[in-house]
Amino acid sequence: MNYIKSSVLKIKKKIIYYDYLYRNLSYSEIPDYEYDKLLNKFNILKKKCTIIKNNIFNKIKFKYSNILNFKKKTHLLPMLSLKNTFNIEEIYNFYKKIFKNLKKKFYLCCELKIDGISISLIYKKGNLIQAITRGNGYLGDDIIANVLTIKNIPLILKGNNIPEKINICGEIFITYKNLKNIKKKNNSFFSNSRNIVSGTLKNINSKITSNRNLTFLCYNVNFSKQKLFNESHFECLKKVNKWGIPIHNYIKKTYKIKEIKKFFFYANINRKYFGFDNDGIVIKIDSKKIQNKIGCNNKYPKWAIAYKFKSQEKITKVINIVFNISRYGILIPIAYIKPINILGSKISKITLHNKKNIEMLNLYIGDSVIVKYSGDVIPQIIKVILSKRTKEAKKIIFPTLCPICNSKLKYIKNKYLYKCNSNLNCRIQLQEKIINFISKNGFNITVIKRNIVFELIKKKYIKNISDIFKLNYKILSRLNTINKSLLYNILISINKSKNIHLSNFIYSLGIENVGKIISLNIANYFKYISKIIYADIKEINSVPKISKKISLNVFNFMKKKKNKIIISKILKHVKIFI
Ligand code: IVH
């Protein structure tokens, strides 16, 4: 038993060390498979030894822990909110009021206001022992199992003079880059990044939390030793940062209002380049001693204020819901809204993604809603104002038939999506596939514009992507959408396109999620189209940077007889090079 115990302790030490490097310094000293091997060994020993299971193992951070206990816990110190303003006058007033009270110059600390979910982390003797959500400010959920999966939160603090107990408060959020990845994988059933973070943290499967790659940044620190309260807030953040706690480096200590205005101005114009949702700056009195003297009311500290960026949110009304079909046959609900202008862009329609999103929003036609730019690029409905719902509001009913070709839609339960399986017999799917086929990354026949494609399909000159090569003078001259000079240009362009790089050829087939980069990787790996058509899933999986999901899409596409026929028809006209 002693032997097992000592080897377990050795492994524990190693795992914690590698975790520390990875989480704090983004550095892996060993390859992933070595790390996984170590974890496996650890799990085998755990099963062998039930006695030590309860005392040693429970204290170890498991990357994929499934233990979830959302027990309610009381905060050591209340987690307060912040007073908000959009107005510089109020910042002057905030400053003047404190100056009147102190009668001497004082430092302020400016930081970004991160739009995520706040969390309080407790470190005892340098070990993370508790992670509680804000809750009602006094009582929150203990979500330690999920917080443990956040890579940049250290399990153990490293360094000297670490106090007995530290309360680290900060924000958990998701970067735009990770948000994009999640939306790709989940067909965007969350309406905004904050919902994703909150949903992810409350997920009972910590493996999902781990895969979502959340990030943490600390904005406030309290130590148990009273004398440390005398320090500067700015210095406290720098200090915990040295021990491994992540902080944002856009931070400034100053006593000049002019500098605060500069800090705000720079943050405002660069807000989307920070790479995550942020909605203003927070200005805090820097001295912990003065903070204590000034104190708090029951809602917010009187020593801090949030100076918010002009709102990106607007209230409008949903006039109607229209259902569209995507290139892959997915039914897309679109909300037509009373047009609004947010930060200079006019918005009149918004994608609602899928059934789940509509249910989560509890959206009815006629509802007043709040619209926001999510990730600063895509307008999203983030909330329904239920108090404004009238009797005339109508429930959104999903169609059972495809709005384009009338065939029966199939519901994909796990994705909350409806799908039309008519493929090329569905006009929109055919139209979008042709547009992809002739796009710049495909055959590059972009002189054929959308309206021409539409007419070609309507007049039944094109029933498939390979029919592009059937177009000739006789057919084109029968179209209303083109004149003579365009006609010649199209013929020249079709002819030129017949010499095509393998990567463009793969892209042109419109395989789900196979974009420019993946097409290039597939082309470079296989070199010949025949090899791709007959490759097994294992081989496709070996293409650099390809995910399992995408390789399966490629494999399934190539497996279908009708796709093989289409490819062979195209190959009669083109010459592929690499
Ligand atoms: S200080 C007692 N600093 O904003 C300390 N809060 O709207 C009060 N937040 O609940 C918070 N960035 O979740 C502070 N740099 C920052 C922040 C920040 C984001 C959040 C925090 C708070 C909410 C209030």
Side-chain angles (χ1 to χ4, degrees):
M1 182 60 72
N2 268 347
Y3 162 71
I4 297 182
K5 196 170 170 177
S6 86
S7 59
V8 161
L9 285 173
K10 264 188 210 158
I11 299 177
K12 171 187 170 177
K13 249 182 160 173
K14 275 189 185 173
I15 292 176
I16 289 174
Y17 172 70
Y18 293 132
D19 265 0
Y20 173 78
L21 290 183
Y22 186 59
R23 282 160 210 272
N24 296 304
L25 307 170
S26 306
Y27 169 68
S28 289
E29 209 170 74
I30 50 166
D32 277 357
Y33 71 89
E34 290 273 359
Y35 180 91
D36 288 341
K37 241 165 74 180
L38 211 61
L39 263 188
N40 269 345
K41 204 168 162 187
F42 190 74
N43 285 331
I44 292 166
L45 286 171
K46 181 180 135 186
K47 273 183 197 142
K48 273 192 187 165
C49 180
T50 45
I51 300 169
I52 50 174
K53 192 171 157 187
N54 296 330
N55 50 48
I56 301 172
F57 292 102
N58 282 354
K59 288 179 194 135
I60 295 182
K61 172 152 56 174
F62 294 104
K63 260 192 163 174
Y64 299 131
S65 158
N66 271 319
I67 343 146
L68 258 208
N69 47 348
F70 290 156
K71 276 189 201 139
K72 291 267 179 239
K73 288 215 173 121
T74 313
H75 288 293
L76 274 184
L77 295 166
M79 283 189 83
L80 299 175
S81 188
L82 283 168
K83 189 175 174 189
N84 282 332
T85 183
F86 290 99
N87 196 337
I88 186 71
E89 292 303 321
E90 283 209 51
I91 302 297
Y92 290 138
N93 289 343
F94 165 80
Y95 184 87
K96 276 187 219 155
K97 213 167 159 184
I98 299 165
F99 188 80
K100 211 170 151 191
N101 184 337
L102 298 176
K103 295 185 183 68
K104 61 174 186 197
K105 215 159 75 174
F106 56 94
Y107 276 102
L108 291 159
C109 184
C110 305
E111 299 153 24
L112 266 189
K113 187 170 185 306
I114 304 157
D115 194 7
I117 298 290
S118 44
I119 190 94
S120 150
L121 307 173
I122 306 288
Y123 285 85
K124 204 171 170 185
K125 293 196 170 92
N127 288 284
L128 178 63
I129 57 152
Q130 208 173 68
I132 319 181
T133 59
R134 181 163 173 261
N136 64 6
Y138 298 91
L139 204 67
D141 284 324
D142 184 351
I143 53 161
I144 184 88
N146 277 340
V147 164
L148 290 177
T149 67
I150 298 174
K151 295 186 185 70
N152 77 338
I153 296 184
L155 170 73
I156 298 173
L157 302 180
K158 298 268 161 163
N160 301 322
N161 302 324
I162 296 172
E164 172 76 14
K165 205 168 184 179
I166 315 176
N167 183 3
I168 302 277
C169 288
E171 206 79 352
I172 296 178
F173 58 95
I174 189 156
T175 59
Y176 293 153
K177 200 173 145 205
N178 288 329
L179 185 69
K180 219 170 144 186
N181 288 336
I182 294 175
K183 285 196 168 179
K184 250 192 229 161
K185 284 185 199 150
N186 291 277
N187 294 299
S188 352
F189 81 71
F190 293 98
S191 52
N192 64 49
S193 63
R194 224 157 169 269
N195 281 354
I196 291 194
V197 177
S198 147
T200 306
L201 288 175
K202 289 193 177 137
N203 206 302
I204 43 167
N205 184 351
S206 315
K207 190 169 176 178
I208 293 180
T209 317
S210 173
N211 290 340
R212 295 244 167 107
N213 263 329
L214 302 179
T215 310
F216 169 80
L217 286 174
C218 163
Y219 58 65
N220 203 27
V221 184
N222 284 299
F223 301 116
S224 55
K225 276 191 190 160
Q226 202 57 34
K227 73 174 175 40
L228 290 166
F229 272 109
N230 298 340
E231 290 195 26
S232 122
H233 163 73
F234 180 81
E235 296 307 329
C236 282
L237 290 182
K238 295 272 171 194
K239 185 176 280 178
V240 295
N241 186 236
K242 282 212 176 100
W243 294 331
I245 297 288
I247 61 167
H248 201 278
N249 58 12
Y250 189 61
I251 180 167
K252 187 165 186 77
K253 184 173 154 177
T254 178
Y255 57 86
K256 291 182 185 157
I257 288 276
K258 206 170 104 192
E259 291 294 320
I260 294 171
K261 276 167 78 176
K262 250 197 211 166
F263 187 90
F264 176 85
F265 177 78
Y266 180 82
N268 196 8
I269 55 170
N270 288 292
R271 58 185 297 196
K272 63 178 157 208
Y273 301 113
F274 288 114
F276 50 81
D277 275 347
N278 54 85
D279 54 354
I281 64 165
V282 183
I283 304 157
K284 299 170 182 170
I285 291 184
D286 187 59
S287 153
K288 291 262 183 194
K289 203 173 168 184
I290 304 177
Q291 284 183 8
N292 278 342
K293 186 175 168 194
I294 290 178
C296 310
N297 61 27
N298 60 356
K299 268 201 196 142
Y300 44 75
K302 288 190 261 179
W303 45 263
I305 189 162
Y307 183 15
K308 298 218 346 180
F309 303 137
K310 282 254 156 58
S311 178
Q312 290 185 300
E313 295 178 6
K314 281 251 168 94
I315 296 178
T316 184
K317 216 172 181 176
V318 173
I319 302 164
N320 198 8
I321 303 288
V322 169
F323 292 93
N324 258 354
I325 289 286
S326 80
R327 174 157 39 121
Y328 305 112
I330 304 298
L331 184 81
I332 315 278
I334 295 168
Y336 279 76
I337 55 166
K338 208 169 143 205
I340 43 168
N341 198 307
I342 302 185
L343 300 175
S345 314
K346 189 181 162 200
I347 308 166
S348 53
K349 53 183 185 176
I350 297 173
T351 312
L352 290 170
H353 310 296
N354 60 23
K355 202 170 177 211
K356 175 93 174 176
N357 183 35
I358 293 175
E359 280 169 7
M360 276 177 28
L361 285 167
N362 181 13
L363 178 70
Y364 279 43
I365 301 166
D367 271 346
S368 292
V369 292
I370 299 176
V371 174
K372 183 185 168 180
Y373 265 113
S374 150
D376 269 345
V377 277
I378 306 155
Q380 302 268 309
I381 293 180
I382 56 159
K383 206 175 173 179
V384 171
I385 309 171
L386 284 174
S387 58
K388 286 195 175 182
R389 181 173 287 169
T390 61
K391 274 187 203 151
E392 283 75 43
K394 271 198 283 177
K395 205 172 158 62
I396 298 168
I397 312 276
F398 272 71
T400 50
L401 301 179
C402 169
I404 308 297
C405 70
N406 251 347
S407 66
K408 204 164 177 341
L409 294 170
K410 203 177 154 204
Y411 187 52
I412 312 168
K413 225 176 175 180
N414 60 341
K415 292 186 176 170
Y416 313 98
L417 293 171
Y418 288 88
K419 191 168 189 275
C420 164
N421 283 325
S422 297
N423 251 310
L424 299 176
N425 290 326
C426 178
R427 183 180 47 78
I428 292 271
Q429 291 182 62
L430 173 60
Q431 179 185 305
E432 295 307 311
K433 276 186 180 118
I434 303 254
I435 285 165
N436 176 74
F437 185 76
I438 59 178
S439 68
K440 200 165 167 244
N441 295 320
F443 273 81
N444 196 12
I445 320 174
T446 50
V447 276
I448 305 182
K449 298 278 182 265
R450 199 169 262 273
N451 59 336
I452 306 173
V453 173
F454 193 81
E455 195 183 357
L456 284 166
I457 293 172
K458 204 173 162 203
K459 294 192 167 154
K460 298 203 167 42
Y461 293 128
I462 286 188
K463 293 188 184 119
N464 209 323
I465 47 174
S466 57
D467 291 344
I468 282 286
F469 297 109
K470 280 189 185 164
L471 297 180
N472 54 28
Y473 183 90
K474 210 169 143 190
I475 295 174
L476 292 175
S477 56
R478 284 188 199 136
L479 301 183
N480 301 324
T481 40
I482 56 173
N483 57 26
K484 265 255 162 67
S485 82
L486 186 54
L487 191 155
Y488 285 119
N489 271 345
I490 291 173
L491 290 176
I492 292 168
S493 191
I494 292 176
N495 220 17
K496 233 168 116 186
S497 78
K498 290 180 178 170
N499 238 335
I500 187 167
H501 190 276
L502 181 58
S503 67
N504 299 86
F505 184 86
I506 298 164
Y507 182 94
S508 77
L509 299 173
I511 307 167
E512 206 166 341
N513 301 116
V514 176
K516 199 170 137 187
I517 307 285
I518 296 288
S519 300
L520 191 64
N521 289 350
I522 296 175
N524 286 338
Y525 185 84
F526 285 103
K527 306 264 191 288
Y528 299 98
I529 184 68
S530 54
K531 285 196 175 162
I532 306 170
I533 298 171
Y534 296 105
D536 60 30
I537 185 78
K538 227 171 156 189
E539 270 180 289
I540 305 175
N541 257 330
S542 318
V543 171
K545 291 202 176 121
I546 203 165
S547 69
K548 285 211 168 102
K549 186 180 152 194
I550 300 180
S551 45
L552 196 64
N553 288 349
V554 176
F555 178 72
N556 285 337
F557 183 93
M558 296 297 173
K559 206 171 65 180
K560 282 193 184 136
K561 201 176 159 198
K562 62 177 182 197
N563 289 335
K564 281 197 179 103
I565 294 173
I566 291 174
I567 293 175
S568 72
K569 275 186 182 168
I570 303 170
L571 288 177
K572 279 187 192 146
H573 300 274
V574 307
K575 216 171 146 190
I576 297 176
F577 66 91
I578 181 129

